[in-house]
Amino acid sequence: MTALAPILEAFFTDRLMTQRGASPHTIASYRDTFTLLLGYIHQQAGKLPAQLDLADLDPATIGAFLQQLETTRGNSPATRNARLAAIRSLFRYASLRAPEHAALIGRVLAIQPKRTTTTIVSFLTRGELGALLAAPDRTTWHGRRDHALLVLALQTGLRVSELTGLDCADVILGTGGHIRCEGKGRKQRAVPLTSSAQHVLRAWMAERAGRPCDPLFPTRTGRRLSPDAIERRVAIHAAAAAQHCPSLQAKRLHPHVLRHSCAMSLLQARVDVAVIALWLGHFSGVPELSHVASF
């Protein structure tokens, strides 16, 4: 067995899981990065992962892999940089486990992330929000579930991963009503619920009739909705809403736009940016909204 296999295994079991206590989302992201990288090397060199040494992951190979992510897979520079961050994390760990490869490791760690452009924050206007919330067919079970999900997403600004992770016990209704969720870095927070959002959730939870540990937004078979499923549902309802609200046709509506829309609603209500940062789970601030803090 070459040096790479035991180092890669220990990186996940020792470094990520034991030392850092990384979240399942982080571990899955790193796993996907190395699945893609090892698959690329196998395609190019015909070597199986167990046959690879650290020397096979030289800067030229990694650079070509990153280029392939953008040109063939159509990944954005931000996604490319996230993959590079995972690779560099592995090589920092390897520097203590395989010092004989110090020169190679140093060259890999010297690979710089790609510059990214700051895009304009996309959000929905009040009329667009109304059209989107009216889109689900509430005469159906799926429509009532999706309506409750959209109301919650727009009022709380939860990330998709946070929405999919919600259990029935995470909804606290009544005086001081709020949602409990676990965000990035396993940081837990409570997000307040308005009376209107509580009304929608109370009706949905009565129909849902789930146990405390059951997912708040399940499929018909009781499984937890996946992030891809939520993205598809948002796209379906956005297309339906665009038929009554033409301005939506010019917007690419995805779940993160709902998060931006929540932040903009809070800004327009003159809530302090520091409070919005805590609301959204950005404990180091909300840099993407700093240029519109005057709203």
Side-chain angles (χ1 to χ4, degrees):
M1 183 181 293
T2 62
L4 178 62
I7 289 176
L8 188 56
E9 181 178 351
F11 174 69
F12 279 91
T13 59
D14 179 44
R15 176 60 176 162
L16 293 182
M17 297 180 182
T18 303
Q19 295 180 19
R20 290 182 55 187
S23 69
H25 179 78
T26 298
I27 292 171
S29 176
Y30 278 45
R31 176 205 64 205
D32 292 345
T33 295
F34 293 110
T35 298
L36 291 170
L37 176 58
L38 297 176
Y40 171 79
I41 294 174
H42 176 65
Q43 184 182 43
Q44 298 297 314
K47 288 187 176 183
L48 294 173
Q51 300 172 321
L52 295 176
D53 201 346
L54 274 175
D56 293 304
L57 276 65
D58 58 77
T61 299
I62 292 173
F65 164 69
L66 297 173
Q67 182 66 22
Q68 185 252 8
L69 291 179
E70 293 189 81
T71 57
T72 303
R73 295 181 60 86
N75 289 168
S76 67
T79 300
R80 171 201 182 275
N81 290 344
R83 301 298 188 200
L84 174 59
I87 294 170
R88 292 174 66 180
S89 182
L90 170 68
F91 273 78
R92 281 193 294 271
Y93 178 75
S95 65
L96 301 175
R97 302 290 296 268
E100 68 273 17
H101 291 286
L104 169 70
I105 291 171
R107 293 197 300 273
V108 171
L109 294 178
I111 299 175
Q112 294 298 308
K114 196 167 189 176
R115 286 183 177 271
T116 58
T117 56
T118 302
T119 57
I120 297 175
V121 174
S122 178
F123 63 96
L124 302 182
T125 64
R126 188 178 299 273
E128 292 166 345
L129 289 173
L132 180 63
L133 291 175
D137 180 4
R138 278 177 271 174
T139 64
T140 68
W141 183 89
H142 285 102
R144 292 188 291 274
R145 178 202 63 190
D146 291 356
H147 177 72
L149 189 151
L150 290 173
V151 167
L152 181 63
L154 287 166
Q155 198 255 293
T156 61
L158 296 186
R159 301 177 179 92
V160 174
S161 59
E162 294 167 348
L163 287 170
T164 59
L166 290 176
D167 293 330
C168 293
D170 293 325
V171 183
I172 311 299
L173 300 176
T175 304
H178 61 275
I179 283 284
R180 296 182 305 216
C181 70
E182 185 176 273
K184 287 186 175 181
R186 292 185 173 176
K187 293 184 175 69
Q188 296 184 344
R189 70 184 189 280
V191 185
L193 291 172
T194 62
S195 57
S196 59
Q198 288 197 54
H199 176 75
V200 172
L201 286 173
R202 184 175 284 109
W204 165 245
M205 292 183 71
E207 179 176 4
R208 168 75 180 88
R211 296 170 299 175
C213 60
D214 288 338
L216 179 61
F217 299 114
T219 65
R220 263 297 190 185
T221 58
R223 292 177 300 169
R224 197 175 295 275
L225 277 177
S226 68
D228 287 345
I230 290 182
E231 186 167 353
R232 286 194 298 271
R233 301 308 298 171
V234 169
I236 289 171
H237 297 311
Q243 297 178 11
H244 306 284
C245 184
S247 62
L248 282 172
Q249 297 175 4
K251 294 186 176 181
R252 180 179 173 271
L253 190 53
H254 51 83
H256 213 69
V257 173
L258 308 183
R259 183 170 163 84
H260 291 165
S261 300
C262 170
M264 290 304 299
S265 295
L266 293 170
L267 277 173
Q268 290 166 351
R270 301 196 179 280
V271 177
D272 187 83
V273 173
V275 175
I276 298 175
L278 294 174
W279 188 295
L280 298 179
H282 279 291
F283 295 94
S284 58
V286 195
E288 68 269 24
L289 294 179
S290 61
H291 66 290
V292 289
S294 60
F295 271 55

